[in-house]
Amino acid sequence: TKFELIYKRFFPYIKDNTTIVALSNSKTITEILKFAARKKTNLHIYISESRPVNEGTIMAEHLALFGINTTIITEAMIPK
């Protein structure tokens, strides 16, 4: 699939115990992280809630279904 092709390029950057910050909701990023979770352990994803509609919570819920550790944060909490 197209997600597998993208994942192959993304894979070298994800190690065990990786922490990733994501903004809002992205089908592509969600699918890549699901592939990564099958190969790597202890991924933790911080996802901005993306107010006012809170699209980030959608992505967090999808990732949690696959056992991926997620934390929803506000945009102000994103590290610089």
Side-chain angles (χ1 to χ4, degrees):
T1 68
K2 64 182 174 183
F3 299 118
E4 289 173 297
L5 294 173
I6 295 169
Y7 174 71
K8 286 179 184 176
R9 289 184 180 237
F10 191 61
F11 181 77
Y13 301 100
I14 300 179
K15 310 288 186 221
D16 287 338
N17 299 312
T18 294
T19 300
I20 296 172
V21 177
L23 302 174
S24 192
N25 181 28
S26 166
K27 171 82 171 161
T28 301
I29 298 299
T30 298
E31 293 301 318
I32 289 170
L33 292 173
K34 286 167 37 180
F35 278 112
R38 292 182 200 124
K39 306 280 185 190
K40 303 291 181 178
T41 58
N42 297 324
L43 293 178
H44 191 105
I45 315 302
Y46 288 90
I47 304 168
S48 68
E49 60 188 356
S50 300
R51 292 181 187 177
V53 185
N54 294 327
E55 300 98 330
T57 57
I58 296 167
M59 185 170 164
E61 290 169 359
H62 286 297
L63 294 175
L65 290 174
F66 287 87
I68 299 171
N69 294 324
T70 60
T71 301
I72 299 172
I73 60 174
T74 65
E75 283 77 8
M77 297 171 67
I78 296 172
K80 294 182 181 184

